[in-house]
Amino acid sequence: MTSALNVAPHHERVSLLSPSSGYENYRGFLNLIYVILGIGGCRLVIENILQYGLLIDFNWPIKFLKDPTHWPSVFLIVLVNFFILFEFWLELRLSKIHILKSRITTTCIFLQFINLIVILIFPAIYVYYRQPNPVGAFFAIFIYTIVLLKLFSYLHINYQCRQALFQRKNDSRRNSNASKGRIVYPGNLTYKNLYYFMFAPTLCYELNFTHSLRIRKGFILRRCMEILVLASLQYCLGQQWILPILRTIDRPLNQYSTLENIERLLRLALPNHLLWLIFFYVYFHSILNLLAELLYFGDRYFYLDWWNATDLSEFWNRWNTIVHHFCKRHIYKPLVIHYGFNKFIGSLVVFLISAFFHEYLISVPLRMLRPWSFLAMIVQVPIGIVVKRISLENKTYGNLAVWISLILIQPIAILLYIQDLFYRDFVKDKIYT
């Protein structure tokens, strides 16, 4: 009893919230943030409904089926098979040519690149003249872009296989590979192999993909439920939260005061970023994992921890590893290794191509050639330099700077597109009528 009383109640210690304490368990504060966000979200939902009423159109799927103007996008998607099969026919022709460099070989390779160029141009012309619904047009253009990149990888790898085949002199080695059950060129040139790649969640072609052992029914059910629930949530949030903000734009942005533009930007930033986060999860996790499971596709590394990125270059390398691997394999490495360009030029070319396709995916469905999405990508170069310097000083501040740039850049581009759409669809009509 006496010894217990003699124990000193105090000794040198630091408070838990001090940086030197080494304490890192802030789970309770994280739960508090969840509660605050939940309460704030409920308040915003109630306030939005009280102000605008219920704006969600639940009959959209029925309207889509009844309105034939939505269908051209479906027809456009079906037509993409023509380009896929034409590329397959050219590869079959090339596989039967026993001379590496010949006139027929050159002609077929030339037609392959013409095919890729037409894949890029044809849907733009189709959308411009048929004028389908922009949402349906976006999905069609998105699919054409994916097919373009996949076919580029397909012809690139098959070209390398042809070169290796002509250079290989040891036929016994080739036969031993085939005996192990692995596909070797030209045994990969089948409809099944090509269309497996077209549906597989990757842009990089391989003759032999890594496969999983079985299909998990519970996994498929969870992914389907995620897609259904989160896609519906996206649709509801877009109609109920974002459209009312965009509809307040009734004149060019330069006719509003600076404070009005800033207020509208900040009001749009939160719901837009929320939709972007939902899109990331639905597409990169739910949809791609669903495809991979159905196709026994083994490589599920579709994204890295981009949310921990401390500069913008880290973010772009992590958030979409499918595109990152394609660019590194088919653009960056050939430029740097085979053609002798320095790494800066290789990275710049990759970034410019990425910026082009971002603009292509927006401008073509809207039938409106504008540079806003392209510039939103380009402006990230100087911003990235600043964020990189911040990250060198403090990685936490670097991560915060990445989040701020992601939240604010997209709404600026959206407001500029909406302004141009308003001018095209309303102001011009009033002028000419």
Side-chain angles (χ1 to χ4, degrees), residues 4 22 58 119 121 125 145 162 215 242 279 358 360 371:
F58 295 101
I119 291 176
I121 297 175
I125 298 174
T145 302
R162 284 195 304 274
I215 293 179
I242 290 184
F279 162 78
H358 275 77
Y360 178 78

Short mmCIF file of all heavy atoms in Angstrom, two decimals, residues 4 22 58 119 121 125 145 162 215 242 279 358 360 371:
data_model
loop_
_atom_site.label_atom_id
_atom_site.label_comp_id
_atom_site.label_asym_id
_atom_site.label_seq_id
_atom_site.Cartn_x
_atom_site.Cartn_y
_atom_site.Cartn_z
N ALA A 4 2.80 1.66 -3.31
CA ALA A 4 1.94 2.15 -4.39
C ALA A 4 1.76 3.65 -4.31
O ALA A 4 1.71 4.35 -5.32
CB ALA A 4 0.57 1.45 -4.33
N GLY A 22 4.37 10.48 -31.59
CA GLY A 22 4.35 9.24 -32.36
C GLY A 22 2.98 8.58 -32.41
O GLY A 22 2.83 7.48 -32.95
N PHE A 58 -37.19 9.48 -63.65
CA PHE A 58 -37.07 8.03 -63.51
C PHE A 58 -37.49 7.28 -64.77
O PHE A 58 -37.30 6.06 -64.86
CB PHE A 58 -37.90 7.53 -62.32
CG PHE A 58 -37.42 8.05 -61.00
CD1 PHE A 58 -38.06 9.11 -60.38
CD2 PHE A 58 -36.32 7.49 -60.38
CE1 PHE A 58 -37.63 9.59 -59.15
CE2 PHE A 58 -35.87 7.96 -59.16
CZ PHE A 58 -36.52 9.01 -58.54
N ILE A 119 -10.73 4.87 -87.70
CA ILE A 119 -11.42 4.64 -86.43
C ILE A 119 -11.51 5.93 -85.63
O ILE A 119 -12.50 6.18 -84.93
CB ILE A 119 -10.66 3.56 -85.60
CG1 ILE A 119 -10.80 2.20 -86.28
CG2 ILE A 119 -11.21 3.49 -84.17
CD1 ILE A 119 -10.00 1.10 -85.58
N ILE A 121 -11.52 9.07 -87.02
CA ILE A 121 -12.27 10.11 -87.75
C ILE A 121 -13.73 9.72 -87.96
O ILE A 121 -14.63 10.56 -87.83
CB ILE A 121 -11.59 10.40 -89.10
CG1 ILE A 121 -10.18 10.95 -88.86
CG2 ILE A 121 -12.41 11.38 -89.93
CD1 ILE A 121 -9.39 11.14 -90.15
N ILE A 125 -17.33 12.07 -87.60
CA ILE A 125 -18.18 12.46 -88.72
C ILE A 125 -19.60 11.94 -88.52
O ILE A 125 -20.60 12.65 -88.75
CB ILE A 125 -17.59 11.93 -90.04
CG1 ILE A 125 -16.22 12.55 -90.29
CG2 ILE A 125 -18.53 12.22 -91.21
CD1 ILE A 125 -15.50 12.00 -91.50
N THR A 145 -12.49 4.77 -78.92
CA THR A 145 -11.15 5.10 -78.43
C THR A 145 -10.46 3.88 -77.86
O THR A 145 -9.27 3.63 -78.11
CB THR A 145 -11.24 6.22 -77.37
OG1 THR A 145 -11.89 7.36 -77.93
CG2 THR A 145 -9.86 6.61 -76.89
N ARG A 162 6.20 -11.23 -85.65
CA ARG A 162 6.64 -11.57 -87.02
C ARG A 162 8.15 -11.39 -87.16
O ARG A 162 8.84 -12.22 -87.76
CB ARG A 162 5.91 -10.71 -88.05
CG ARG A 162 4.49 -11.11 -88.31
CD ARG A 162 3.95 -10.46 -89.58
NE ARG A 162 4.04 -9.02 -89.54
CZ ARG A 162 3.12 -8.22 -88.99
NH1 ARG A 162 2.05 -8.77 -88.42
NH2 ARG A 162 3.25 -6.92 -89.01
N ILE A 215 -14.67 -18.77 -61.60
CA ILE A 215 -15.55 -17.61 -61.50
C ILE A 215 -16.28 -17.66 -60.16
O ILE A 215 -16.91 -18.69 -59.83
CB ILE A 215 -16.57 -17.58 -62.66
CG1 ILE A 215 -15.85 -17.33 -63.99
CG2 ILE A 215 -17.61 -16.49 -62.42
CD1 ILE A 215 -16.78 -17.30 -65.18
N ILE A 242 -26.26 18.83 -59.91
CA ILE A 242 -25.37 19.56 -60.84
C ILE A 242 -26.16 20.36 -61.87
O ILE A 242 -25.85 21.53 -62.13
CB ILE A 242 -24.41 18.57 -61.52
CG1 ILE A 242 -23.41 18.04 -60.49
CG2 ILE A 242 -23.68 19.23 -62.67
CD1 ILE A 242 -22.35 17.13 -61.05
N PHE A 279 -17.56 7.65 -60.20
CA PHE A 279 -17.19 7.11 -61.51
C PHE A 279 -15.94 6.26 -61.40
O PHE A 279 -15.86 5.17 -61.99
CB PHE A 279 -16.96 8.24 -62.51
CG PHE A 279 -16.19 7.81 -63.73
CD1 PHE A 279 -16.80 7.11 -64.75
CD2 PHE A 279 -14.83 8.10 -63.84
CE1 PHE A 279 -16.08 6.69 -65.86
CE2 PHE A 279 -14.10 7.70 -64.95
CZ PHE A 279 -14.73 6.98 -65.96
N HIS A 358 -8.46 13.31 -74.18
CA HIS A 358 -9.41 13.91 -73.23
C HIS A 358 -10.33 14.89 -73.95
O HIS A 358 -11.54 14.92 -73.70
CB HIS A 358 -8.66 14.62 -72.10
CG HIS A 358 -8.25 13.72 -70.98
ND1 HIS A 358 -7.17 12.87 -71.06
CD2 HIS A 358 -8.79 13.51 -69.75
CE1 HIS A 358 -7.06 12.19 -69.93
NE2 HIS A 358 -8.03 12.56 -69.11
N TYR A 360 -10.93 14.91 -77.24
CA TYR A 360 -11.67 14.13 -78.24
C TYR A 360 -12.92 13.52 -77.62
O TYR A 360 -13.99 13.52 -78.24
CB TYR A 360 -10.73 13.04 -78.78
CG TYR A 360 -11.35 12.10 -79.79
CD1 TYR A 360 -11.53 12.49 -81.11
CD2 TYR A 360 -11.72 10.81 -79.43
CE1 TYR A 360 -12.08 11.62 -82.04
CE2 TYR A 360 -12.26 9.93 -80.34
CZ TYR A 360 -12.44 10.34 -81.65
OH TYR A 360 -12.98 9.47 -82.56
N PRO A 371 -11.14 23.89 -76.91
CA PRO A 371 -9.86 23.42 -76.35
C PRO A 371 -9.87 23.24 -74.84
O PRO A 371 -8.81 23.03 -74.26
CB PRO A 371 -8.91 24.57 -76.74
CG PRO A 371 -9.77 25.80 -76.60
CD PRO A 371 -11.17 25.38 -77.01
#
